[in-house]
Amino acid sequence: MKKTISGLVWLIAIVGFVVGFYGLYQRITTGHIHTDYGSYIPWGLWVAAYIYFIGLSAGSFLLSTLVYVVRVEKLEKIGKLALFTAFGCLIAALLSIWMDLGHMGRVYRVVLHGNLRSMMTWMGILYSSYFLVILVELWFAMRVDLIKKAREGSGICSILSFGSTDTSPKSIQRDRKVLKVLGTIGVPLAIAFHGGVGALFGVVGARTYWHSGLTPIAFLVGALASGGALLTAIVYVWGPDRDREQFREMMKYLGKVVLALVLIDFLLEIAEYFVGMYPGIPDEAEPIKAVLFGKYWYVFWIVHVFFGVFVPSVLLFKNAVSQKVKNGAAAIAFAGLLIAVTFMAVRLNIVIPAQVSPEIEGLQYAFTGPGLEYHYMPTMMEWLVTIWVSSLGALLFLIGYTLLPIVNEEDREVA
Amino acid sequence: MAIIDMSPGEVRQRMMEDLRRALKRPMEKRRWAMVIDLQKCVGCTACTTACVAENHLPPGVVYRPVIEKEIGRYPNVRKNFLPRPCMQCENPPCVKVCPASATWKRPDGIVEIDYEKCIGCRYCINACPYSARTFDKGYYYSDGTPYIPEYEKKPAFEYGKVWPRNNREDSPVGNARKCTYCVHRLDKGMLPACVTTCLGDATYFGDANDPESLVAELLGSPRVMRLKEGFGTKPATTYLV
Amino acid sequence: MKDIRKKTVEIDGEKIKMTRRCFLKSAAFFGGIAALSQVPGMGLVDKLASAGTLLGQNAYPFDKPENVIYTCCLQCHTACTIKAKILDGIMVKVDGNPYSPMNLNPHLSYDTDPKEAVLYDGRLCPKGQAGVQTLYDPYRIRKVLKRKPGTKRGENKWVTIDFDKAIQEIVEGGNLFGEGNVPGLKDIWAVRDGKLMKALKKDAKKVQMGKMSVEQFKAKHSQHLNKLIDPNHPDLGPINNQFVFLAGRIEHGRKEFAKRFVKNAFGSVNWYEHTTVCEQSHHIAFNEMTAKYKGGRWHPMLKEYFEDYGGGKHHLKPDVPNAEFVIWFGTSPFEANFGPTHWVSYITNAQAKKNFKFAVVDPRLNKTAARANYWVPVKPGGDAPLALGMIRWIIENKRYNEAYLRAANRAAASLNGDTTWTNATHLVRLSDDGKRGVKLLRGDECNVCDQHLFMAVSDGKVVTFDPYAKGGEPVVGDIFAEGEINGVKYKTAFALLRDVVMEKSLEEWAKEAGVPVRQLIELAREFTSHGRKAVADMYRGPVQHTNGYYNGTAIITLNLLVGNCDWKGGMMKGGGHWHEDGSKKGQPFNLKKGLHPGKIGSYGITLTREKWRYEDTTLFQKDGYPAKRTWYPYTGNVYQEVIPSAADGYPYRIKFLWLHKGTPALSVPGANSTIEILRDPKEIPLIIADDIVIGETTMYADYIFPDTAIWERWGTPHLTPACPTAGSKVRQPAVESLVETCKVFGVEQHISMEAVMLAIAEKMGLPGYGKDGFAPNLDFTHRDEFYLKAVANIAFGDHGGKDKVPLADREELSIFKAARRHLTKATFDEARWKRAIGEDEDLWRRVVYVLNRGGRFEDASRAYVGDKVRHQFKSQFNLFVEHVALGKNSFTGENFSGIPIYEPVKDAAGRPVVFPERYEFQLFTYKHILGGQSRTISNYWTMVSELGENYVQINTLDARRLGLKDGDRVRIVGPTNPKGTIPILPGEEKPVVGTVRVEEGVRPGTVVASWSFGHWAYGGRDVVVDNKLIKGDRRRLTGICPNASMMVDPAVKNMCLTDPIGGSCSFYDSKVRLEKV
Ligand SMILES: Nc1nc2c(c(=O)[nH]1)N[C@H]1C(S)=C(S)[C@@H](COP(=O)(O)OP(=O)(O)OC[C@H]3O[C@@H](n4cnc5c(=O)[nH]c(N)nc54)[C@H](O)[C@@H]3O)O[C@H]1N2
Ligand SMILES: Nc1nc2c(c(=O)[nH]1)N[C@H]1C(S)=C(S)[C@@H](COP(=O)(O)OP(=O)(O)OC[C@H]3O[C@@H](n4cnc5c(=O)[nH]c(N)nc54)[C@H](O)[C@@H]3O)O[C@H]1N2
Ligand code: SF4
Ligand code: SF4
Ligand code: SF4
Ligand code: SF4
Ligand code: SF4
Ligand SMILES: [Mo]
C-alpha cells in the first residue's frame, strides 16, 4: 500500500516535473508575458505558492525542533524526515519566489544591498540563515548514517559526508549538542522568518486586508498546521514504521497536534473575517466578501472549509482523539494530506483578495492593459511553473529519501 | 498678480521661469510639486497619452490615468475627472518596502526607481496606496501584429538615461515603473509632458520650496486637497477642488 | 462608473481577451520591411551594460531644434499644428507647435528663435499624440495591391503588382480580372482639348436655357457626339465625367492638387469630398445667411466648398475668451468640434475667471456638458423647436437687440457701432395667401425703383437702398412693418420670423424640444442677459438631420437677436489665412488660375446633382416632377449620393471610381446598398483606391495604391474660425515614408495619391504635368513642386510683397537641413525644392523660415481692435434667405423656406417619415475624444488601452424597463435593416451588435454609441497577399458602429435620409429597437 503510494508520488512528481517544465521554459524565454498578475494585482499564484511552501517548511522545521530541542521521544525517529521535508519545501518556496522576480539575476542585491527597513530584505537575510541552519542541521543529523551508508558503498553519501568518518559515540553526542544548538537557533529563526513573511504582508498599510497585527500570528499558526499536516502524511508513507505500535502512537500524536493547530488557525480566520466584515467598511469588507461570496467562493467554502477543515477535523477527531479507532493511521495521514494540500487555498485567499479592490475607485476603467485588472486567474504557465516547482520539491525529497539515510533502513517496514 | 487674473500664457511663462530659477538652485533646495485643478480638468486624457508616448510606456504600464466618475441622477448629472500621477510622497511607503534599495527619494523630492537595481519583486507596487506603480512585463503594443515597429523599441529617456526596448528582458522590462515628474525634461528646462499638453490648462508644476513660484502660491489655496492623506504619505502632487 | 469587465470583449459573437495576446508568427507584410520577430533570450542573466546607459549627462535630445519638424496632424479634421520629435529618423513623440494659436494660448511670437521655441511643447489632444501609432501601423500597405484575378471584390485576396504595371493596366483597361473587358482611363478621357470643352459647355448651357435645341446642338457638334455621355442631354457633359474621384475629407493642398488633376487635366466635374456626412448643413446655413447679393444674383452661390463660399461665410465661432455666455448646440468642444486641442483651454480658463458660463444642448451628457453650467438634454432633432421657442420668448419679452435688428444697411449699423447688420427689416414679398415669404421685395417688383435696390419701411415710409453700400444714408427700418405696395403684399423678414415662432406656444415648443419650458426660458433669459457677449454655437448635432439646414438657421438667428458678430466675446469669422493658392495680387505662384498650360477644364451635371437646379436641366424638361433622385441647388459634394447615384444611373452611370481617404461603407448612415454596389463590377467596372491600410471601403477596390501618411506628406490646412488671429498651417514631410518608391517623370518618389496622379498624367500625356508642367522652367514631376509653391505664396504674403515673412538666417538654414538629415532625396532634395520655387534665393530663405515654424501665424496681440475682433465679417446677415426661398424641392416642386422653420423628418419625396411604434429608441452617435473618425483604430495607446471598445449607451430607466444591464449584448435594428447586419460579403453578414452600458447621462428614450469603432477591416481582417495569409488584429474589431441600422430613404431606397438643402446625411433621425442577443 505504502509502496503504491510512494510509487504514485514518484509518478506524479516525474510527470509534474516533465509537464511543468514547459512552464519553466516559457517563463525563462518569455518572462512575465504569459502571467496574469501584473500591476493592480502584483502578486499571484507564485507568491501564494511561496508562502504556502515556506509555511510548510517552517511548520515541519518547527516540528523537527520537537525532536532536537524539546526531545519529544515519540517523534525521535522522524527528526531527519521533518528536517528534510522542511528542506524540500524551502527549495520549492525559494524557486517559486525567484520565478516571480522581474530580474532573477539581481536577487543577490537583496542581501548585498538590502534596505533594512524593508521586510523583504529581512526575509532575504533570514532565509539565507535558515537555509544554512537546515543544511547544517541536516548534515549533523545524518552524519553518522551518511558515514555508515558511505561505507556500504553509497557514493553520494561518501561525498556528502565531507570526509567525516568519526562515528564514535562521542561524536554522536557532539552532533546532538550541535543539533540542539542549531535547533534552538532555528526556532526563533523559523518563527521570525515565517512570522516575518506575515509581517511582510501585515505592514502593507495600503492593503487593509493584510494590514493587521494578527497577520504574522496567523501565518505562524498556519505554517504549523499545514507543515504539521504535511509531515503527518509523509510520516505515514515514508516514516519509520517497523515498530507498529510506536508508529501508531506517533501518528495519533501528530494527528492531535495537527487537529489543534488547524482549529486554532480556523479560529483566527473566523476572528479576522468577522471583525473585518462587521463594520462594513468597504476597504476591509470587500476582500473578505470576495473570498466568501465572490467568483471563487468555492475555493473558500469547498476547498478550504470543507476539505481543508471540516473533513480532516472529523477524520482526525475520530482517528486521533477518540480512542475508539485503533488503527487510524491511514485516515490521519489522509487528513494531513487534505489539510496540507488544501492549505494552498488559504494562501491564495490571503494573497489575492487583498489586491482585488481598486485603491481608487474607477481606476480599473481609466486605462486597461495586461496587469491592469482587479481580477486574477493564474495562467496555464503559472500553474505549470508551480507544478514544476512542487514536483521538483517532491523529487528532491524522493531522491533524497532514496539515496540518503533520512529514515534509517532498519526503521523501515520490510514489506 | 492673483492667478485668476493671469492669462494662460502668463501662467505658462511663469512656470517656465519658476523652472529655470529652480534649476539654478542646488537640488536639495528644490521640492518639485504638481498641482492639478480638478475644476479645469475635462477628462480629455491628453496627459495620459502624452505620458505614455513620452516615456514609451508598454501595454500595462501607465503613469497618469484619468479616473472618470458620473455623479447624480438624470437630468441632474455631471462628471468628475481625476488624473492620477505619482504623488511623489514626502513619506513614500514604496521606498520603505523596497528590498533592493532600488527606489529612493531624491533630494528634490522625486521618488526615483533605479531600473538597474530593481529586482522586480513588486513589493512597492503593493505598498503604494495610490496604485501609482505598474509592472513592466515586457509587452509591445504591436504584439500579435505582423511586426513590432521601430518606435516601440526606441529608447525612453527616463531619469535622463537611455532605455531602449530592444527585447523583452532588459530594464525597464521586469521593473516597477511610475511617473518620474519627467526629470529628464526638467533638467533641460522643459516642463513635464503632462503639464505642457494639458488641454484644460489644469496642471501646474514648479518648485514648492520657492515662495515666488506659482505652485507655492497655489499650495496656499483653500481649495487644496491631497489624496488619502490618512496614510501619512504627504503627497507632493496636490489637487485643487 | 459601472462595472463592465473589460477583460474580454465580444466581436461578432466571439469573445476575445484584450489584455494578453498570443504572438502570431506572420509573414512580412505586403512585401515591405521584414517581420522583426522577437525571440526573447534567456532572461536570467542581467545585461547591465545594454540598458540604462548614461550618455554623458541627460540624454534627452528634444531640446534641440534639429530633432524636431513642425507639421500638421490630421487624426481628425481639425488638422492641428504639431511638432514631430524625431529620433534616428523615427517619429517617436508628437506635441503641439508653440508657434501656433492651436496649441499655445497665446502662442509664441513668430520671430522666436527655434532654439528657444523648442523648449516649449504646445498642447495636443490625445489622438494627435497617438499619431505615432497610425504612422507606424504594422498593417500599413507599402506596395500596390491588385485584386487577385479570379476572386471577388472584397474577398481580400491580393497580389502585389509593380507600380508602373498597375498604372499601365488602369490606363489601358482590358481583361484585367478575367471577368471580361474593363474600360481604361484612355477610354474615358474623351474630350482632350480645352477649346472643345469650352465650346461644348457653352452650347450645352444654351440648350438648358432653351436658347438652342438639342437637335441644333447635335448638328453643330456632330463630330463629337461620341464624346458625350448622352447626346440627347448635352448638359450631362462629356464621357470624362464618368471618371469619379471620391474623397473623404481630403485636406487643403491635396484638394487643390487633386482638383487640378480631375477637373482641369482629366476634364471631369466629378470631384467629391465628404462634408455632407460631416456637418455640411451647418456650413450651408451659415453660407446662405451670410451670402452677399451682388447685381441680380446671390453671388456667387456655393461654388467650391471651403474655398470660395460665395462671399458668404461657412463657419462662425464664438470668441470664447471674451464671451460671457455660450450655448453649444449638439457639439462637444471638449471632445470633438474644431477642436479640443485649441478650444478646451479657452473654455476652462474663461470659466475659471467666473465671468463665463456655458450651456450644452445635447441629448447626451457629453464631456463639455459634464462641466457646463446648464445641461439641456434636448430630444434629438429638438433644436429648432428649442431655438424657435427661445426666439418667441425673446420677441415676446422684447429682449432682442432692437437697434441692431433695425439697422437695415451698413450705414445704419455703423451708427450703432456695428460692423454687421441683418435684413430683419427688409421687406419680403408674400405669397398670394400671405403666408409665405417669396422673395425680398425689390424696387422693380412694385415698380418703385431700380431692380437691385432693397426696401424697408422707415418711420412708416417705404425706403429703397443698397444695404452693402459704403457710406450713404442710414436706414433704420420698422421691425414689424407689413402692407401692400402697388398690389404687392409684404412683411418684414422679422415679422415673418415672428409669425413662425408664434405658431406654437412656449409650452408646445418646449414639448417638441423635449425640455421643460422652465429650462427653455432660463436659457433664453441667460442668453439675452449678456449684451453682445453671448453666442449660440453649433455643430453636427442639430444639423445632421433631414431638416438640418433649418435647425442651423434657427440657431444662427439667435445670434442675430443679440447682434453679437464681430464684437469681442461675440461671434467671429476667425483670423483667416494667407492665400496659399497664390490668388492674391503679386503672389509668386497663382495655383488657382494659370500655371496650367493646356488646361482642359470640365463641364456638365455633377453625378450628385449638386449646385444644379433641377428646373434648369434637360432632364427636367423630359421628366418634370418628381425627379428620380434629389437635386441639391445649395450644397456641394453630396458624399452619400455618389455611389448610389452611379448605380441608379441617374443622371448617368460611371466607369471609373477612385476612392481616396474616405470610407463611405462605414462612415455613412444606412450604407448597406453602397457596399452591395461596390461589390458588383457590373455597377462600376473599375475601382481604384489609395489608402494607408486596407480599409472598410477600399477593400472592395480593384487596385489599392499605398498612400503616404499625414506625417510623410504635404498639405496646407486652414485655421478654425475659433482662432481670432490669422494663420496658415503647413503640413510637411517629417519622416521618410514607409511606402515604396516609384519613378515618375524620371524622379524617384514615394507612391502616394500625388504620385499616382503624376504617373497617370505621364502615361496619358495629360496637360500641365512633367517638363514645364506649370510654366517654362517650372516642371511638375514631383509633389514638392506643387506644395512648395503654396508655401512660397504663404511666405510672400497677401499684400503685394509688403508682408513677407523674415529671411531665415544662416543658423536657421542649417537647423533646417540638420532637421531633415534623415530624409532621402525622394522626400527632401534641396536642389529640387529650390527649383520648385524658381531658384529664388530670397524666397527660399523665407520658405525655410515658414517651414521651420510649421506655417505662418499672426501675432496673438493682433486679435482685437478696441471692443471688436480684428478680422471682421463686416457684412449683412440674411434673416430671410431669399436664395433658398427661391429654390424648389426637386420631388415636390415646392419652394423651400427663407425663414427658419420647424419641419418634421422627411424623405426625399417630401413625405414625413413615420416609424412604427416598436422602434422605440431614437438613435444618435457622438465622437469620443480618443476616436478620430474611423481611422484611429490602430492607435493602441488610446483606442485599445483607454477605451477597449465603445458601448450602446442607454439611460437607467430604459435599461430597467427592458431588463438590460451593463455588459449585455444587444443588436440595433431599424425599419430598413430589420436583421441588423452589414453585408460584408456573400455569406458574411456582420451583425450590428454592441455591449450595453447603462448611464444616467443619456436622455431616456434615446440610445447612443460613440463613433470610431465597429470596424471589419483596417488591419482587423485576415487578408491574403501573394498567397500568404496575414492575420488581422482582433483588437481592431471591437465595439459597434450603428450607421448600418440608420434609416434608408424610402423614396430613393439605396441611400440614407438626406437634407435637400444642406445635403447632410441624417444621422440622428432614425428610430431603432434593441434586441438582446
Ligand atoms: N475627437 C474627435 N474630434 C473631432 C473629430 C473626430 O473624429 N474625433 N472629427 C472632426 C470632425 S470631421 C467634425 S465634423 C467635428 C464634429 O464635432 P461635433 O459636432 O462636436 O461632434 P459629434 O460628436 O459628431 O457631434 C454630435 C454631438 O451632437 C449630439 N447630438 C446628436 N443628436 C443631436 C441633436 O439632435 N441635437 C443636439 N443638440 N445634439 C445632438 C451628440 O450627442 C454629440 O455630442 O469634430 C471634429 N473633431
Ligand atoms: N456613427 C458615426 N458616423 C460618422 C460620424 C459620427 O460622428 N458617428 N462622423 C461623421 C463625420 S463628422 C465624418 S467627417 C465622417 C468621416 O468619414 P470619412 O470621410 O469616410 O473618413 P474616415 O472615417 O476618416 O475614413 C478615412 C479612410 O481613409 C483611409 N485613410 C486613412 N488615412 C489615410 C491617408 O493618409 N491617406 C489615404 N489615402 N487614405 C487614408 C482609411 O482607409 C479610412 O478608412 O464620418 C462620419 N461618420
Ligand atoms: S504615490 Fe506611490 S509610488 Fe508615488 S511616491 Fe507615493 S507611494 Fe511611492
Ligand atoms: S519592484 Fe523594484 S523598486 Fe519595487 S520594491 Fe521591488 S525592487 Fe524595489
Ligand atoms: S510628470 Fe511626466 S512621468 Fe509624470 S505623469 Fe506627467 S508626463 Fe508622466
Ligand atoms: S490633460 Fe489636463 S484636462 Fe486633460 S485629462 Fe489631463 S489633466 Fe485633465
Ligand atoms: S484635434 Fe484632431 S487634428 Fe488636432 S491633434 Fe487632435 S486629432 Fe490631431
Ligand atoms: Mo466631420
Side-chain angles (χ1 to χ4, degrees), chain B residues 98-100 103 118-124 133 176:
Chain B
C98 175
T103 188
C118 167
I119 64 170
C121 67
R122 313 190 293 286
Y123 198 3
C124 53
R133 293 182 166 229

Side-chain angles (χ1 to χ4, degrees), chain C residues 39-348:
Chain C
V39 188
M42 299 286 283
L44 293 173
V45 192
D46 268 326
K47 292 183 201 145
L48 282 170
S50 63
T53 337
L54 192 57
L55 297 180
Q57 22 151 304
N58 190 334
Y60 186 64
F62 299 118
D63 60 338
K64 297 273 179 321
E66 57 269 24
N67 297 326
V68 155
I69 289 184
Y70 296 104
T71 177
C72 290
C73 182
L74 198 66
Q75 288 271 84
C76 80
H77 299 309
T78 309
C80 297
T81 34
I82 57 173
K83 176 189 204 179
K85 294 179 172 170
I86 294 151
L87 186 68
D88 307 332
I90 304 286
M91 182 176 88
V92 293
K93 176 84 178 78
V94 185
D95 276 298
N97 174 355
Y99 285 110
S100 158
M102 300 292 292
N103 315 92
L104 262 198
N105 166 19
H107 48 295
L108 297 182
S109 135
Y110 194 55
D111 57 9
T112 309
D113 187 332
K115 293 202 299 300
E116 164 73 9
V118 75
L119 297 177
Y120 291 81
D121 287 333
R123 293 183 308 260
L124 202 68
C125 101
K127 295 181 293 303
Q129 308 197 46
V132 173
Q133 293 184 313
T134 301
L135 172 58
Y136 299 118
D137 182 353
Y139 290 94
R140 273 193 63 186
I141 47 177
R142 301 152 190 274
K143 293 189 171 208
V144 187
L145 301 177
K146 178 185 176 182
R147 167 161 67 100
K148 190 176 170 184
T151 66
K152 297 250 151 34
R153 279 191 188 154
E155 242 182 84
N156 267 306
K157 297 212 169 68
W158 304 93
V159 288
T160 54
I161 173 175
D162 179 65
F163 177 80
D164 296 326
K165 179 90 192 322
I167 297 290
Q168 154 123 26
E169 291 186 5
I170 288 163
V171 169
E172 300 295 333
N175 188 358
L176 301 173
F177 304 96
E179 298 165 348
N181 273 353
V182 174
L185 289 180
K186 67 167 184 2
D187 306 315
I188 308 170
W189 193 35
V191 176
R192 303 183 173 198
D193 166 9
K195 277 202 208 85
L196 175 61
M197 188 71 91
K198 271 203 184 119
L200 291 169
K201 178 179 181 174
K202 210 168 127 208
D203 292 337
K205 180 111 195 166
K206 283 191 190 148
V207 173
Q208 265 172 260
M209 316 267 282
K211 289 186 189 144
M212 183 189 261
S213 75
V214 172
E215 296 319 314
Q216 284 167 323
F217 181 94
K218 281 188 183 167
K220 183 166 172 195
H221 298 287
S222 59
Q223 285 164 9
H224 301 297
L225 296 182
N226 62 344
K227 298 190 176 74
L228 295 179
I229 293 176
D230 182 349
N232 291 321
H233 295 284
D235 45 352
L236 295 179
I239 285 170
N240 306 43
N241 287 344
Q242 290 177 303
F243 174 109
V244 176
F245 180 82
L246 177 60
R249 185 174 278 178
I250 180 172
E251 66 262 43
H252 273 286
R254 276 196 147 188
K255 250 186 207 180
E256 290 72 25
F257 192 111
K259 279 188 186 167
R260 177 186 172 101
F261 177 83
V262 176
K263 294 195 155 179
N264 295 344
F266 199 89
S268 168
V269 290
N270 286 313
W271 182 99
Y272 293 97
E273 55 99 56
H274 84 172
T275 313
T276 54
V277 78
C278 181
E279 36 64 59
Q280 181 86 320
S281 293
H282 140 274
H283 287 323
I284 302 305
F286 269 115
N287 182 55
E288 295 298 342
M289 289 190 79
T290 54
K292 255 186 192 152
Y293 180 82
K294 263 192 196 163
R297 69 189 196 101
W298 289 95
H299 168 86
M301 33 193 284
L302 175 68
K303 218 184 194 163
E304 319 248 71
Y305 168 62
F306 251 10
E307 222 173 335
D308 185 352
Y309 220 63
K313 295 292 159 205
H314 57 278
H315 205 163
L316 299 172
K317 283 282 177 199
D319 171 29
V320 171
N322 299 294
E324 290 175 8
F325 185 61
V326 174
I327 309 177
W328 274 286
F329 280 88
T331 177
S332 181
F334 287 175
E335 291 160 294
N337 209 306
F338 276 86
T341 296
H342 161 255
W343 253 21
V344 174
S345 97
Y346 278 38
I347 300 167
T348 57

Side-chain angles (χ1 to χ4, degrees), chain B:
Chain B
M1 187 162 28
I3 168 131
I4 191 171
D5 301 322
M6 289 170 70
S7 78
E10 286 163 330
V11 167
R12 171 109 19 177
Q13 206 48 45
R14 182 154 163 210
M15 288 198 289
M16 283 297 268
E17 279 154 22
D18 290 352
L19 176 61
R20 286 173 188 165
R21 212 166 46 245
L23 288 173
K24 289 205 191 99
R25 305 180 343 136
M27 198 203 235
E28 57 283 2
K29 290 269 163 61
R30 319 196 272 256
R31 180 74 172 102
W32 296 121
M34 184 179 282
V35 180
I36 302 173
D37 186 340
L38 296 183
Q39 285 189 8
K40 288 172 92 183
C41 174
V42 301
C44 67
T45 71
C47 51
T48 312
T49 312
C51 179
V52 168
E54 177 74 28
N55 298 307
H56 299 220
L57 304 185
V61 177
V62 61
Y63 293 173
R64 188 178 162 120
V66 178
I67 298 152
E68 184 174 327
K69 200 171 166 193
E70 190 181 69
I71 296 157
R73 308 267 312 264
Y74 180 88
N76 304 303
V77 203
R78 289 297 185 271
K79 272 180 186 161
N80 266 348
F81 309 101
L82 180 90
R84 204 276 357 258
C86 171
M87 301 293 127
Q88 311 293 0
C89 305
E90 168 114 34
N91 194 0
C94 58
V95 168
K96 214 189 238 171
V97 300
C98 175
S101 308
T103 188
W104 57 294
K105 200 174 99 193
R106 297 158 36 115
D108 57 6
I110 294 177
V111 173
E112 178 168 335
I113 302 172
D114 188 331
Y115 291 150
E116 282 147 293
K117 291 185 180 160
C118 167
I119 64 170
C121 67
R122 313 190 293 286
Y123 198 3
C124 53
I125 302 182
N126 255 326
C128 169
Y130 307 96
S131 285
R133 293 182 166 229
T134 46
F135 181 50
D136 186 340
K137 292 169 70 166
Y139 290 101
Y140 293 104
Y141 275 101
S142 310
D143 282 340
T145 71
Y147 67 96
I148 310 291
E150 273 309 299
Y151 79 92
E152 291 214 58
K153 301 182 205 152
K154 285 282 164 226
F157 297 95
E158 285 171 273
Y159 307 110
K161 298 180 185 177
V162 180
W163 305 100
R165 206 176 170 79
N166 289 319
N167 55 50
R168 296 183 194 274
E169 62 217 48
D170 289 343
S171 284
V173 177
N175 295 131
R177 302 182 66 177
K178 67 161 196 84
C179 158
T180 65
Y181 265 5
C182 284
V183 264
H184 60 287
R185 292 168 57 100
L186 300 180
D187 282 354
K188 298 272 183 169
M190 296 170 78
L191 290 163
C194 56
V195 176
T196 56
T197 208
C198 181
L199 296 195
D201 277 341
T203 310
Y204 305 93
F205 191 85
D207 179 6
N209 276 356
D210 174 359
E212 301 286 297
S213 75
L214 178 74
V215 286
E217 185 183 322
L218 291 171
L219 289 173
S221 156
R223 292 168 55 208
V224 157
M225 181 274 280
R226 292 185 181 84
L227 279 187
K228 297 193 174 188
E229 283 193 276
F231 282 94
T233 46
K234 300 200 179 150
T237 301
T238 304
Y239 298 90
L240 300 179
V241 290

Side-chain angles (χ1 to χ4, degrees), chain C residues 197 315 337 356 398 462 519 557 576 634 667 766 945 967 1070:
Chain C
M197 188 71 91
H315 205 163
N337 209 306
F356 175 72
K398 287 216 180 317
V462 172
Q519 200 170 29
T557 300
Y634 303 106
S667 62
L766 299 188
S945 298
S1070 299

Side-chain angles (χ1 to χ4, degrees), chain C residues 815-861:
Chain C
I815 289 174
F816 174 78
K817 274 213 258 191
R820 284 159 187 76
R821 62 193 181 278
H822 56 292
L823 301 175
T824 72
K825 286 220 156 141
T827 307
F828 171 62
D829 177 347
E830 196 174 346
R832 183 175 69 232
W833 286 29
K834 281 184 175 169
R835 262 200 317 277
I837 57 160
E839 310 262 13
D840 180 336
E841 195 60 33
D842 176 88
L843 196 54
W844 171 245
R845 285 174 60 189
R846 297 183 201 275
V847 164
V848 168
Y849 198 89
V850 171
L851 294 179
N852 273 356
R853 287 159 178 75
R856 180 170 187 183
F857 308 100
E858 187 182 27
D859 201 72
S861 62

